[in-house]
Amino acid sequence: MNYRHAFHAGNFADVFKHILLTRILLHLGRKATPFRYIDTHAGVGLYNLQGDEARRSGEWPRGIGRITPGNVPADVLPLIEPYLDLVGPRDGTGCPTLYPGSPSIALGIARPQDRLIFCELHPTDAASLRKGLGRANRAKVVEIDGYVALNAYVPPQERRGLVLIDPPFEERGEFEAMLDGLVAAHRKWPTGIYALWYPLKDRTAVSRFANQLIASGIPRIAQVELVIDWTALDVGKLAGCGMILVNPPFGLEDEARLLLPYLAKTLTQSEPGSWQWRWLAGE
Ligand code: SAM
C-alpha cells in the first residue's frame, strides 16, 4: 500500500466526490430515523494543506483552491455552502489550510442518532483517524480491508444509509473488486445508497465497468462524471473522475445538474471541462 491520500487531499477529485457526499448525507438527514454511514476506504479524516505531501504534489490549488464562495453562481451557492462550511476557515489569501476527508464530512453532518463506520487498512492512517475522532461514540474506526468490511457490516441495523467505496486504484482489478463488493452488498441491503468513486484514465475499463453494472440487474444506478482534462486521456493520465450512485436520493439529480456545470467550468485544466449524469438502470 503505497498510496497516501495526503498528496491528493483537496484536489479536483476530492471536491467532486465530497460535494456529492455532502449532498447525499444531507438528503439522508432529512428523515428523523437514523442512518448508517460505512466508509470502506476512509483515509485519515483531516489533511494539512500546508504539509510536505500537499506542497510536493501541488494538487489542491487546482481543486479546493479554486472554489470560493465569491465565484459560485447564486443558484449553486446554497448547494455548495454546507461543503464549504465543512472545509472551514481560510487564511489571509482566501485559501483553506486544512481539508476534511470523507470521515470528517460524514461526522460533520451525521446526527446523534446516526452511526458511522470508518474502515482503513493502513495502520498509520487508521491510528491517525482514531486519534482525530477523539470520543465520538457515534463512530468507530476499524483497521480492516474495505471489501472484507463491506461484507461484514452490510446489512446494518438501519434500513437507510450510505456506503462510500473510495479505493486508491493502485492495484489491478479494483473495478472488479468494487463490482463484486457492490453486487454482494446490494443483495443483502437493497435499500442502502452506494457511492463508488473511480478515476477516468482508461475509457475502455470504465465502459466495461458500466456494462457490468447494467448487467448486474441492480435496479437504480446513476453514473456521474467530471472531465477536467481531455488531453490526459490520450496519454493514459487522469482526465477526470466519476461516481456510480446506486439508489441516489430523489432530488440529487436536479442538484447535480446545477452543480456539475459549475465544477466543470471552475476545475477544468484544458478547456472546456465537461460532465454527465446518466442512468445506467432505472429512471
Ligand atoms: N475516502 C477518503 C476521503 O474521501 O477522504 C480517501 C480515501 S483514499 C482515496 C484511499 C484510502 O484507502 C487510503 O487511505 C488507503 O490507505 C486506504 N486503503 C488502501 N487499500 C485499502 C483496503 N484494501 N481497505 C481499506 N483501505 C484501504
Side-chain angles (χ1 to χ4, degrees):
M1 281 198 305
N2 295 319
Y3 181 91
R4 315 297 295 148
H5 195 66
F7 286 93
H8 310 292
N11 70 2
F12 81 90
D14 262 7
V15 172
F16 166 82
K17 168 179 62 189
H18 292 152
I19 289 177
L20 287 173
L21 174 63
T22 303
R23 297 310 316 163
I24 295 170
L25 289 165
L26 288 170
H27 277 278
L28 277 168
R30 284 183 188 160
K31 284 192 185 150
T33 50
F35 67 77
R36 178 74 58 121
Y37 174 73
I38 301 171
D39 199 327
T40 60
H41 298 72
V44 301
L46 191 64
Y47 300 90
N48 178 3
L49 296 182
Q50 304 303 327
D52 189 40
E53 294 95 335
R55 278 176 192 271
R56 273 164 50 201
S57 72
E59 291 188 16
W60 70 263
R62 289 183 288 171
I64 186 59
R66 291 189 183 175
I67 310 286
T68 58
N71 70 16
V72 185
D75 55 342
V76 182
L77 191 57
L79 299 174
I80 288 197
E81 253 169 351
Y83 162 74
L84 291 176
D85 290 347
L86 290 163
V87 171
R90 292 175 179 248
D91 64 14
T93 67
C95 291
T97 50
L98 295 173
Y99 187 80
S102 48
S104 305
I105 288 176
L107 264 176
I109 296 175
R111 304 143 318 156
Q113 66 266 42
D114 304 320
R115 291 287 173 273
L116 306 93
I117 303 179
F118 305 132
C119 310
E120 170 56 52
L121 191 56
H122 198 292
T124 316
D125 289 358
S128 306
L129 179 55
R130 196 169 288 124
K131 196 170 159 208
L133 271 189
R135 291 176 172 271
N137 57 10
R138 291 172 297 165
K140 73 173 174 189
V141 177
V142 193
E143 191 184 313
I144 188 173
D145 174 84
Y147 297 111
V148 172
L150 184 59
N151 187 38
Y153 297 132
V154 166
Q157 274 175 350
E158 296 82 357
R159 213 180 115 71
R160 304 185 313 119
L162 168 65
V163 178
L164 174 66
I165 306 179
D166 182 23
F169 276 86
E170 58 177 8
E171 313 257 339
R172 281 181 164 274
E174 199 74 82
F175 279 114
E176 289 77 7
M178 285 210 297
L179 181 77
D180 292 348
L182 170 68
V183 170
H186 183 269
R187 207 172 288 137
K188 293 195 281 177
W189 193 35
T191 54
I193 300 169
Y194 299 84
L196 285 62
W197 183 91
Y198 60 86
L200 261 179
K201 259 187 193 173
D202 175 350
R203 265 276 166 219
T204 314
V206 174
S207 299
R208 192 184 314 122
F209 182 48
N211 288 335
Q212 287 167 332
L213 284 160
I214 293 168
S216 73
I218 294 174
R220 280 187 82 236
I221 311 178
Q223 180 182 34
V224 194
E225 285 185 351
L226 176 71
V227 177
I228 52 126
D229 187 0
W230 285 110
T231 60
L233 263 189
D234 305 332
V235 287
K237 290 201 170 153
L238 194 63
C241 61
M243 285 262 240
I244 294 298
L245 300 172
V246 173
N247 295 328
F250 293 101
L252 185 71
E253 178 175 1
D254 290 344
E255 294 178 358
R257 288 184 181 282
L258 278 172
L259 284 161
L260 290 166
Y262 163 72
L263 293 182
K265 184 168 165 226
T266 310
L267 298 174
T268 187
Q269 286 169 32
S270 67
E271 296 287 340
S274 69
W275 63 276
Q276 71 160 352
W277 172 295
R278 79 172 173 131
W279 287 98
L280 297 180
E283 307 286 314

